[in-house]
Amino acid sequence: MSTSKRTLSQKTGIKLRSFFRKFPGVPYIFKWLLISLIIGLCIGTASALFLKSLNWVTEFRESHKWIIALLPVSGFFSGLLYHYFGKNVEAGNNLLIDNIHNPDKIIPFRMAPLVYLGTIATHFFGGSAGREGTAIQMAGSIADQFSKPLKLNSEDRKILLIAAISAGFGSVFGTPLAGAVFGLEVFLIGRIRYNAIFPAFAAAILADWATNIWNVEHTHYHISIVPKIELLPIVYSIIAGIAFGICAATFSKTIHWASALFKTKIKYAPLRPVLGGFIVALAVLALGTTRYIGLGIPVILESFEQQAPLSDFALKMAFTIVTLSAGFKGGEVTPLFFIGATLGSALSFFLPLPFSLLAGMGFVAVFAGATNTPLACMLMGIELFGVECGIYVAIACVVSYLLSGHNSIYTRQRIGEAKH
Amino acid sequence: MSTSKRTLSQKTGIKLRSFFRKFPGVPYIFKWLLISLIIGLCIGTASALFLKSLNWVTEFRESHKWIIALLPVSGFFSGLLYHYFGKNVEAGNNLLIDNIHNPDKIIPFRMAPLVYLGTIATHFFGGSAGREGTAIQMAGSIADQFSKPLKLNSEDRKILLIAAISAGFGSVFGTPLAGAVFGLEVFLIGRIRYNAIFPAFAAAILADWATNIWNVEHTHYHISIVPKIELLPIVYSIIAGIAFGICAATFSKTIHWASALFKTKIKYAPLRPVLGGFIVALAVLALGTTRYIGLGIPVILESFEQQAPLSDFALKMAFTIVTLSAGFKGGEVTPLFFIGATLGSALSFFLPLPFSLLAGMGFVAVFAGATNTPLACMLMGIELFGVECGIYVAIACVVSYLLSGHNSIYTRQRIGEAKH
């Protein structure tokens, strides 16, 4: 009995081994499913904590607006923090992209708490910034801590970092498919390589699931009218895409120029956000509105419901560029959503397309141009607004991507393929 | 007055020129918009004619079933046609893929009428085949006729062929986004290059629009229940994906093996479809059903509405492999949809996921594995079934892609990147 049992289990073992040899994809998939589950749970939880903190500080700031006066002070402390403890993680997203191209030392874990604290402070005291950079940096530094215990070689570590970026992006915006493709698309302009396709999708989907376990609500946007596909609406979408692409290129160029200016004019790094914070706080006082600071979700939602004034996108651009180039922590993407959605909504003054559709197109297309990730942005548009507007969103993202040239908010992105 | 006018127009000219120099994407986009409009209108119209003819011959065959007895005869004539007039276009899809890698002579226009006639005959007399191969070959040969009049250089001609594939695929299935990505994805395994991204999207969208102008109805599929994303359903989807991938690899391997067998056993090409047609007609008589011939749309729809028996996918596979490897004309993709949808639906006997969801996942995932185009198939799933099932469809497509190895129904696809 026991012999025949052993024989049976041996037989099963042999059969399984020969099956795995025939389909090497199967053990690969279960290995990466396990890794994705571990990092997905951690990253999704971190994103949930981050999103809840953001909600809390945003509400607090909006009901205690005097706190914005402290933005220069908070900038000084956040600058000191990075000056003394954060030198090796200051490169942020670019450090991750660099490590995907040339795996170097493990990303220090301190990147996660530092960027978390820095970003929360930026939003608490009223800087204009986003959250994707923070989510991605937290994700990358958390995931990379598993590289040693899991004994990953440098090829596997590259894949782990791509999966982490996918997971961070997918969970912070609640768009796992866009997150997965973003991770595959972001480090190389003009190409996608599929070597990390399963880990990217698995980690993004599992991280999004983990974030949802913590009862985090993502914002819902609504495009009310989508016109039938005809030649003229297609041409209008192309024209809108051109505007989005020029806007994206302008944003990328100006933010690099402003950062360089801050760096040459103010040698001592912690003083840069003091000046930046002073300018932003003063501008809030002068304009008498907090419309252009923080994430700006209410204004984004408004741009789907009524035509935005042309000033909205320009002012948000100015506020964000000053905040981020002065050295405040936070991402660029939610401001890019704001800039794109309000620019799109305002374009309805000139273009005969519904403003909510143009807002949705701009939301993803300016971001597509600034990060050179057209397919991820198209998927994001479909995940956020539904597949009905897919064709319009696709045109806007692709045209914006082409127009923005080889500019990018990520300086370490490499060119895999000339755009045209 | 006239001087100042001229000056104004000169000034505008100078301004435009400097704008175009600053944003070279703009003239590029309008150049390719125009080309895409021309080829899109032609290809969309060809697809519309093709789809209407298919409907007509399918209806005729189903109401005059005795005609299936003539399948061997029709195979002989179709074989003769290609033997005498089609030697240089026989490679079909592979000829297009080859020309994208190494631009050679212009694709002969005769490819379009030949593959159209051949495919219509296959469906009229009851072979089991698809339509995407035909649509793509018609598209490629039509579009390439514009290469000389438009004076395209060989780089532009590559882009034109990619755009044509996108347009053919997008218009024949009514899924322009999937079509665009399919064109970019199909010629290289494991990579996407974005050099043709705008022409691919523009041509696919415009061709789909042109097809719709001719009042062509595409089939609608409906997934009734999509479970919430949880860990277990994700694991079940991965297991389903593994089954779809193994099925795709088996299909690709068997069809190549069977083609080689027909070629070695029967030297005179026009006689091969005679034997193939004889086998298929006899099998229809023996089984007493036309369930497994033609496109099989009614059975695909059925698999979304009730659990399919396990025999469905196996029989369709056998019918299609005999039909196509014997040399009948037609695509592989709609049979792959059939095989995947019925296999998925049948998997609900073993996996606790809704059968309509599994049918939808299989519909696109077996095709993803057989053609190595996971992103196009994921988009197709979203375009056909809605974004709600996007995550499940994505898992199935990516896993199937990984599992199918470096097998492909297109022998001339090149490996751009090892899968894992």
Side-chain angles (χ1 to χ4, degrees), chain B residues 351-408:
Chain B
L351 288 173
L353 286 177
F355 61 83
S356 65
L357 176 63
L358 280 164
M361 288 158 65
F363 185 109
V364 285
V366 170
F367 165 44
T371 57
N372 299 303
T373 56
L375 292 189
C377 293
M378 178 181 93
L379 273 169
M380 180 170 223
I382 292 173
E383 286 183 281
L384 289 177
F385 318 128
V387 72
E388 298 71 27
C389 64
I391 291 180
Y392 290 103
V393 161
I395 296 174
C397 289
V398 168
V399 171
S400 171
Y401 159 81
L402 280 176
L403 253 286
S404 75
H406 293 138
N407 299 298
S408 167

Coordinates of all heavy atoms in Angstrom, one line a residue, chain B residues 351-408:
Chain B
L351 N -13.8 25.3 -13.1 CA -13.4 26.5 -12.4 C -14.6 27.3 -11.9 O -15.5 27.5 -12.7 CB -12.6 27.4 -13.3 CG -11.2 26.8 -13.7 CD1 -10.5 27.7 -14.7 CD2 -10.3 26.8 -12.4
P352 N -14.6 27.7 -10.7 CA -15.8 28.5 -10.2 C -15.8 30.0 -10.6 O -15.8 30.9 -9.8 CB -15.7 28.4 -8.7 CG -14.2 28.1 -8.4 CD -13.7 27.5 -9.6
L353 N -15.8 30.1 -12.0 CA -16.0 31.5 -12.5 C -17.2 31.4 -13.4 O -17.5 30.4 -14.0 CB -14.8 31.9 -13.3 CG -13.5 32.3 -12.5 CD1 -12.4 32.6 -13.5 CD2 -13.8 33.5 -11.6
P354 N -18.0 32.5 -13.6 CA -19.1 32.5 -14.5 C -18.7 32.1 -15.9 O -17.7 32.5 -16.4 CB -19.6 34.0 -14.5 CG -19.0 34.6 -13.4 CD -17.7 33.9 -13.1
F355 N -19.6 31.2 -16.6 CA -19.2 30.7 -17.9 C -19.1 31.8 -19.0 O -18.3 31.7 -19.9 CB -20.1 29.6 -18.3 CG -21.5 29.9 -18.5 CD1 -22.0 30.5 -19.6 CD2 -22.4 29.7 -17.4 CE1 -23.3 30.9 -19.7 CE2 -23.8 30.0 -17.5 CZ -24.2 30.6 -18.7
S356 N -20.0 32.9 -18.8 CA -19.9 33.9 -19.9 C -18.6 34.7 -19.7 O -18.0 35.1 -20.7 CB -21.1 34.8 -19.8 OG -21.1 35.6 -18.6
L357 N -18.1 34.9 -18.5 CA -16.8 35.5 -18.3 C -15.7 34.6 -18.9 O -14.8 35.1 -19.6 CB -16.6 35.8 -16.8 CG -15.2 36.4 -16.5 CD1 -15.0 37.8 -17.1 CD2 -15.0 36.5 -15.0
L358 N -15.7 33.4 -18.6 CA -14.7 32.5 -19.1 C -14.7 32.4 -20.6 O -13.7 32.3 -21.3 CB -14.9 31.1 -18.5 CG -14.3 30.9 -17.1 CD1 -14.9 29.6 -16.4 CD2 -12.8 30.8 -17.1
A359 N -15.9 32.4 -21.2 CA -16.1 32.4 -22.7 C -15.4 33.7 -23.2 O -14.6 33.6 -24.2 CB -17.5 32.4 -23.1
G360 N -15.7 34.8 -22.6 CA -15.0 36.1 -23.1 C -13.5 36.0 -23.0 O -12.8 36.5 -23.9
M361 N -13.1 35.5 -21.8 CA -11.6 35.4 -21.6 C -11.0 34.5 -22.7 O -9.9 34.8 -23.2 CB -11.3 34.9 -20.2 CG -11.6 35.9 -19.1 SD -11.9 35.1 -17.5 CE -10.2 34.4 -17.2
G362 N -11.6 33.4 -22.9 CA -11.0 32.4 -23.9 C -11.1 33.0 -25.3 O -10.1 32.8 -26.1
F363 N -12.2 33.7 -25.6 CA -12.4 34.3 -26.9 C -11.1 35.1 -27.3 O -10.6 34.9 -28.4 CB -13.6 35.3 -26.8 CG -14.0 36.0 -28.0 CD1 -15.2 35.6 -28.6 CD2 -13.3 37.0 -28.6 CE1 -15.7 36.3 -29.8 CE2 -13.7 37.7 -29.7 CZ -14.9 37.3 -30.3
V364 N -10.6 35.9 -26.5 CA -9.4 36.7 -26.8 C -8.1 36.1 -26.4 O -7.1 36.3 -27.1 CB -9.5 38.1 -26.2 CG1 -10.5 39.0 -27.0 CG2 -9.8 38.1 -24.7
A365 N -8.1 35.2 -25.4 CA -6.8 34.7 -24.9 C -6.2 33.6 -25.7 O -5.0 33.6 -25.9 CB -7.0 34.2 -23.4
V366 N -7.0 32.7 -26.3 CA -6.4 31.7 -27.2 C -5.8 32.4 -28.4 O -4.7 32.1 -28.9 CB -7.5 30.7 -27.6 CG1 -7.0 29.8 -28.7 CG2 -7.9 29.9 -26.4
F367 N -6.5 33.4 -28.9 CA -6.0 34.2 -30.0 C -4.7 34.9 -29.6 O -3.7 35.0 -30.4 CB -7.1 35.2 -30.4 CG -6.8 36.3 -31.3 CD1 -5.9 36.2 -32.4 CD2 -7.3 37.6 -31.0 CE1 -5.6 37.2 -33.1 CE2 -7.0 38.7 -31.8 CZ -6.1 38.5 -32.9
A368 N -4.7 35.5 -28.4 CA -3.4 36.1 -27.9 C -2.3 35.2 -27.9 O -1.1 35.6 -28.2 CB -3.7 36.7 -26.5
G369 N -2.5 33.9 -27.5 CA -1.4 33.0 -27.4 C -1.0 32.5 -28.8 O 0.2 32.3 -29.1
A370 N -2.0 32.4 -29.7 CA -1.6 31.9 -31.1 C -0.9 33.0 -31.9 O -0.3 32.6 -32.9 CB -2.9 31.4 -31.8
T371 N -1.1 34.3 -31.6 CA -0.5 35.3 -32.4 C 0.5 36.1 -31.7 O 1.1 37.0 -32.2 CB -1.6 36.3 -33.0 OG1 -2.3 36.8 -31.8 CG2 -2.6 35.6 -33.8
N372 N 0.6 35.9 -30.4 CA 1.6 36.6 -29.5 C 1.3 38.1 -29.5 O 2.2 38.9 -29.6 CB 3.0 36.3 -30.0 CG 3.4 34.9 -29.9 OD1 3.3 34.3 -28.8 ND2 3.7 34.3 -31.0
T373 N 0.0 38.4 -29.4 CA -0.4 39.9 -29.3 C -1.2 40.1 -28.1 O -2.4 40.4 -28.2 CB -1.1 40.2 -30.6 OG1 -2.3 39.4 -30.7 CG2 -0.3 40.1 -31.8
P374 N -0.6 40.0 -26.9 CA -1.5 40.1 -25.6 C -2.2 41.5 -25.4 O -3.3 41.5 -25.0 CB -0.5 39.9 -24.5 CG 0.9 40.2 -25.1 CD 0.8 39.8 -26.5
L375 N -1.5 42.6 -25.8 CA -2.1 43.9 -25.5 C -3.3 44.1 -26.5 O -4.3 44.7 -26.1 CB -1.1 45.0 -25.6 CG 0.0 45.0 -24.5 CD1 0.8 46.3 -24.6 CD2 -0.6 44.9 -23.1
A376 N -3.1 43.8 -27.7 CA -4.2 43.9 -28.7 C -5.4 43.1 -28.3 O -6.5 43.6 -28.3 CB -3.7 43.5 -30.1
C377 N -5.2 41.9 -27.8 CA -6.3 41.0 -27.4 C -7.0 41.5 -26.2 O -8.2 41.5 -26.0 CB -5.8 39.6 -27.2 SG -5.2 38.9 -28.7
M378 N -6.2 42.1 -25.2 CA -6.8 42.7 -24.0 C -7.7 43.8 -24.4 O -8.8 43.9 -24.0 CB -5.6 43.2 -23.1 CG -6.1 43.8 -21.9 SD -4.6 44.4 -21.0 CE -4.4 46.0 -21.6
L379 N -7.2 44.7 -25.3 CA -8.0 45.8 -25.8 C -9.2 45.3 -26.5 O -10.3 45.9 -26.4 CB -7.2 46.7 -26.7 CG -6.4 47.8 -26.0 CD1 -5.4 48.4 -27.0 CD2 -7.3 48.8 -25.4
M380 N -9.1 44.3 -27.3 CA -10.2 43.7 -28.0 C -11.3 43.3 -27.0 O -12.5 43.5 -27.2 CB -9.8 42.6 -28.9 CG -10.9 42.0 -29.7 SD -10.3 40.8 -30.9 CE -11.3 41.3 -32.3
G381 N -10.9 42.6 -26.0 CA -11.8 42.1 -24.9 C -12.5 43.3 -24.3 O -13.7 43.3 -24.1
I382 N -11.8 44.4 -24.1 CA -12.4 45.6 -23.5 C -13.4 46.2 -24.5 O -14.5 46.6 -24.1 CB -11.3 46.6 -23.0 CG1 -10.6 46.0 -21.8 CG2 -12.0 47.9 -22.7 CD1 -9.4 46.8 -21.4
E383 N -13.0 46.3 -25.8 CA -13.9 46.9 -26.8 C -15.1 46.1 -27.0 O -16.2 46.6 -27.2 CB -13.1 47.1 -28.1 CG -12.1 48.2 -28.1 CD -11.5 48.4 -29.4 OE1 -10.5 47.7 -29.7 OE2 -11.9 49.3 -30.2
L384 N -15.0 44.7 -26.9 CA -16.2 43.9 -27.2 C -17.0 43.7 -26.0 O -18.3 43.6 -26.2 CB -15.7 42.5 -27.8 CG -15.1 42.5 -29.2 CD1 -14.6 41.1 -29.5 CD2 -16.1 43.0 -30.2
F385 N -16.4 43.5 -24.8 CA -17.2 43.1 -23.7 C -17.4 44.2 -22.6 O -18.0 44.0 -21.6 CB -16.6 41.8 -23.0 CG -16.2 40.8 -24.0 CD1 -14.9 40.3 -23.9 CD2 -17.0 40.3 -25.0 CE1 -14.4 39.3 -24.8 CE2 -16.6 39.3 -25.8 CZ -15.3 38.8 -25.8
G386 N -16.7 45.3 -22.8 CA -16.8 46.4 -21.8 C -15.6 46.3 -20.8 O -14.9 45.2 -20.7
V387 N -15.3 47.4 -20.2 CA -14.1 47.5 -19.4 C -14.2 46.8 -18.0 O -13.2 46.5 -17.4 CB -13.7 49.0 -19.2 CG1 -14.6 49.7 -18.2 CG2 -12.2 49.1 -18.7
E388 N -15.4 46.4 -17.6 CA -15.7 45.8 -16.3 C -14.9 44.5 -16.2 O -14.4 44.1 -15.1 CB -17.1 45.5 -16.1 CG -18.0 46.8 -16.0 CD -18.2 47.4 -17.4 OE1 -18.1 46.7 -18.4 OE2 -18.4 48.6 -17.5
C389 N -14.8 43.8 -17.3 CA -14.1 42.5 -17.3 C -12.6 42.6 -17.7 O -11.9 41.6 -17.9 CB -14.8 41.5 -18.2 SG -14.7 42.0 -19.9
G390 N -12.2 43.9 -17.8 CA -10.8 44.1 -18.3 C -9.7 43.4 -17.5 O -8.8 42.8 -18.2
I391 N -9.8 43.3 -16.2 CA -8.7 42.7 -15.4 C -8.7 41.2 -15.7 O -7.6 40.6 -15.9 CB -8.9 43.0 -13.9 CG1 -8.7 44.5 -13.7 CG2 -8.0 42.1 -13.1 CD1 -8.8 44.9 -12.2
Y392 N -9.8 40.6 -15.8 CA -9.9 39.1 -16.0 C -9.3 38.8 -17.4 O -8.6 37.9 -17.7 CB -11.3 38.6 -15.9 CG -11.7 38.6 -14.5 CD1 -12.6 39.5 -14.0 CD2 -11.3 37.6 -13.6 CE1 -13.0 39.5 -12.6 CE2 -11.6 37.6 -12.3 CZ -12.5 38.5 -11.8 OH -12.9 38.5 -10.5
V393 N -9.8 39.6 -18.4 CA -9.3 39.5 -19.8 C -7.8 39.7 -19.9 O -7.1 38.9 -20.5 CB -10.1 40.4 -20.7 CG1 -9.4 40.6 -22.0 CG2 -11.5 40.0 -20.9
A394 N -7.3 40.7 -19.2 CA -5.9 41.0 -19.2 C -5.1 39.8 -18.6 O -4.1 39.3 -19.3 CB -5.6 42.2 -18.4
I395 N -5.5 39.2 -17.5 CA -4.8 38.1 -16.9 C -4.8 36.9 -17.9 O -3.7 36.3 -18.2 CB -5.4 37.7 -15.6 CG1 -5.3 38.8 -14.5 CG2 -4.8 36.4 -15.1 CD1 -6.1 38.5 -13.3
A396 N -5.9 36.6 -18.5 CA -6.0 35.5 -19.4 C -5.1 35.7 -20.6 O -4.4 34.8 -21.0 CB -7.5 35.3 -19.8
C397 N -5.1 36.9 -21.2 CA -4.3 37.1 -22.4 C -2.8 37.1 -22.1 O -2.1 36.5 -22.8 CB -4.6 38.5 -23.0 SG -6.3 38.6 -23.7
V398 N -2.4 37.7 -21.0 CA -1.0 37.7 -20.6 C -0.5 36.3 -20.3 O 0.6 35.9 -20.8 CB -0.7 38.7 -19.5 CG1 0.7 38.5 -18.9 CG2 -1.0 40.1 -19.9
V399 N -1.2 35.5 -19.5 CA -0.8 34.2 -19.2 C -0.8 33.3 -20.4 O 0.2 32.5 -20.6 CB -1.7 33.6 -18.1 CG1 -1.4 32.1 -17.9 CG2 -1.6 34.4 -16.8
S400 N -1.8 33.4 -21.3 CA -1.8 32.6 -22.5 C -0.7 32.9 -23.4 O 0.0 32.0 -23.9 CB -3.2 32.8 -23.2 OG -3.2 32.2 -24.5
Y401 N -0.4 34.2 -23.5 CA 0.8 34.7 -24.3 C 2.1 34.0 -23.8 O 2.9 33.5 -24.5 CB 0.9 36.2 -24.2 CG 2.2 36.8 -24.6 CD1 2.6 36.9 -25.9 CD2 3.1 37.1 -23.6 CE1 3.9 37.4 -26.2 CE2 4.4 37.7 -23.9 CZ 4.8 37.8 -25.2 OH 6.0 38.3 -25.5
L402 N 2.3 34.0 -22.4 CA 3.5 33.4 -21.9 C 3.5 31.9 -22.1 O 4.6 31.4 -22.4 CB 3.5 33.7 -20.4 CG 4.0 35.1 -20.0 CD1 3.9 35.3 -18.5 CD2 5.4 35.3 -20.5
L403 N 2.4 31.3 -22.0 CA 2.4 29.8 -22.0 C 2.6 29.3 -23.4 O 3.1 28.2 -23.6 CB 1.0 29.3 -21.5 CG 1.1 28.7 -20.1 CD1 1.7 27.3 -20.2 CD2 1.8 29.5 -19.1
S404 N 2.2 30.0 -24.4 CA 2.2 29.5 -25.8 C 3.6 29.4 -26.3 O 3.8 28.9 -27.4 CB 1.3 30.3 -26.7 OG 1.9 31.5 -27.0
G405 N 4.6 29.8 -25.6 CA 5.9 29.7 -26.0 C 6.2 30.5 -27.3 O 5.5 31.5 -27.5
H406 N 7.2 30.1 -28.0 CA 7.5 30.9 -29.2 C 6.8 30.3 -30.5 O 7.3 30.4 -31.6 CB 9.0 31.1 -29.4 CG 9.6 31.9 -28.4 ND1 10.8 31.7 -27.7 CD2 9.1 33.1 -27.8 CE1 11.0 32.6 -26.8 NE2 10.0 33.4 -26.8
N407 N 5.7 29.7 -30.2 CA 4.8 29.2 -31.3 C 4.0 30.3 -31.8 O 3.6 31.2 -31.1 CB 3.9 28.0 -30.8 CG 4.8 26.9 -30.3 OD1 5.5 26.3 -31.1 ND2 4.6 26.6 -29.0
S408 N 3.6 30.3 -33.1 CA 2.7 31.3 -33.6 C 2.1 30.8 -34.9 O 2.6 29.9 -35.6 CB 3.6 32.5 -34.0 OG 2.8 33.4 -34.8

